[in-house]
Each structure stands twice: as C-alpha cells, then as structure tokens.
Amino acid sequence: MEGNLFDKVSNEKLDMLYGALSEVISDMRYAGESVDATFTDEVFWACLSIRNMVFAALRRHEINKGSRL
C-alpha cells in the first residue's frame, strides 16, 4: 500500500485537521507550566507527529496534482 490513509482524505479536510492540530499544539505550549513539561508530554508529541503526517499528505496531494496536469 502506497502512502497512508491521509492520502484518501480531501485537501479541505486535511487543511482543517492541520489547523486544528496547530491550535492544540500552540495552546499546549502556552498552557504548560514549564517548557520542559510541555516537551516531555506524550500527547504533545503525538499531536506534533500527526500534524507532520497531515502536512506530508497535503504535500503529496499537491505534487500529484501537478503531475496530472
């Protein structure tokens, strides 16, 4: 199987997910009592990893769209 499940999701929904994850990450950074506590939090790193996967899927969508022209 090439890619992942994010490749089957529309760009609009990926954009919304990326934005939501970015807000959660930002809120976690500013709500943390200390920087060390935030960066050692597993939920923070899970959100960051998923956001990066969504970004990679968006990038693949754009690259594939360009090759279809």
Side-chain angles (χ1 to χ4, degrees):
M1 179 178 179
E2 277 188 40
N4 58 37
L5 292 176
F6 287 127
D7 293 332
K8 299 179 187 278
V9 179
S10 70
N11 281 354
E12 294 80 20
K13 293 193 183 205
L14 287 174
D15 280 335
M16 290 175 17
L17 180 57
Y18 185 84
L21 285 167
S22 294
E23 286 183 34
V24 168
I25 291 167
S26 178
D27 289 348
M28 289 177 77
R29 281 183 179 156
Y30 294 116
E33 295 171 10
S34 71
V35 173
D36 292 335
T38 301
F39 290 123
T40 58
D41 187 3
E42 291 178 15
V43 175
F44 174 81
W45 288 107
C47 289
L48 196 63
S49 296
I50 294 169
R51 185 184 72 167
N52 289 340
M53 286 188 281
V54 169
F55 181 76
L58 282 166
R59 202 170 109 207
R60 281 191 302 273
H61 281 210
E62 289 301 312
I63 289 170
N64 289 338
K65 187 185 341 178
S67 65
R68 287 186 218 149
L69 294 175

